[in-house]
Amino acid sequence: MSHPKCFSKKNISHNKDILMIQVIHRAVDIIEYIATDVHKAHSLSEIAEHLKLNQATCANIIKTLVERNFIEQMGYKKGYKLGYMIYRLGNIGSFEEQLIKVSTDPMEHLRSKLNETCLLAILRKQNRVTIHQVNAERDLMVRSSIEKVAYNSASGRYLLAYLGDAELEDFIAKYGLPSVDEWPEATNETRFWEQIKRIRNDGYSKQVTPTHIIGFAYGIQKEGKVIASLSVYLPLSRLKEHGEKEIISSTIKTAQEIEKLI
């Protein structure tokens, strides 16, 4: 009597394997379809219809791909594009890859001048994502995670400040206002917009963390739109070594050099 039971378990396991393989195929199909036009935001209904998938099934697979950053939701009901993880893994000549290529030498020069950590970052969903980093050659230096909540970094705050007001309002509606841990000076709507206005007026952003790290960020523009941020991070105890004005002017000069190469 044990044989039918054993066969049943094997059969169930085999069916699960088949379902898993089908899901993987469908996930790859979704990525490949979105990749047919990387500039267009593809809607859920369009993707499901083209691939002949049940819309609920398609939505569940897309949700996982978005969570893993293989595709990116452009906004509420605004469709999907390839996510930054595809470009990081695939090295397929994305705009970000081109940006890294032209930024590498100027960032090395900036690091050589200040001997502090320099980051090149973009905005993805609610995060500031570092796409290139050069570290200070010191025993005590700043290291930063690849992804960090945009509210909680000088580079992320700069990128948010230079969104259009409507885009920024959509961002707040989707992700909420900063927590006290993320941006203590901007925890309600009035204070948030005051901080955004200050960054826009200053032309750069600055952050001092509870761990005594200070960061300065400036934007890299293309066709009048900020597409990335360049930032310098260092221990607060070394600020006097350079002077705030020197760090800011050096960062701005380097960002402008990168803009000429894009």
Side-chain angles (χ1 to χ4, degrees), residues 149-163 165 168 178 182-186 190-208 215-221 226 228-231 233 244 248 252:
V149 173
Y151 289 142
N152 195 19
S153 68
S155 46
R157 293 173 187 178
Y158 187 96
L159 291 167
L160 289 173
Y162 281 85
L163 292 175
D165 286 356
L168 196 46
E182 292 168 344
W183 196 351
E185 300 86 4
T190 299
R191 297 179 72 196
F192 176 82
W193 285 103
E194 286 174 352
Q195 291 298 316
I196 293 299
K197 185 178 179 180
R198 176 178 294 179
I199 293 170
R200 290 172 177 176
N201 288 339
D202 291 344
Y204 65 92
S205 65
K206 179 174 72 171
Q207 178 201 29
V208 179
F216 300 90
Y218 186 75
I220 296 170
Q221 296 189 33
V226 172
S229 67
L230 178 67
S231 53
Y233 287 87
E244 189 167 313
I248 294 167
I252 291 173

Side-chain angles (χ1 to χ4, degrees), residues 239-256:
L239 183 59
K240 288 183 180 180
E241 178 181 326
H242 308 286
E244 189 167 313
K245 288 183 179 179
E246 181 187 353
I247 294 173
I248 294 167
S249 63
S250 297
T251 305
I252 291 173
K253 182 179 178 182
T254 303
Q256 290 171 344

Side-chain angles (χ1 to χ4, degrees), residues 1-12:
M1 295 295 291
S2 62
H3 291 296
K5 187 176 181 181
C6 182
F7 176 79
S8 176
K9 285 183 178 179
K10 287 182 178 179
N11 196 43
I12 290 170

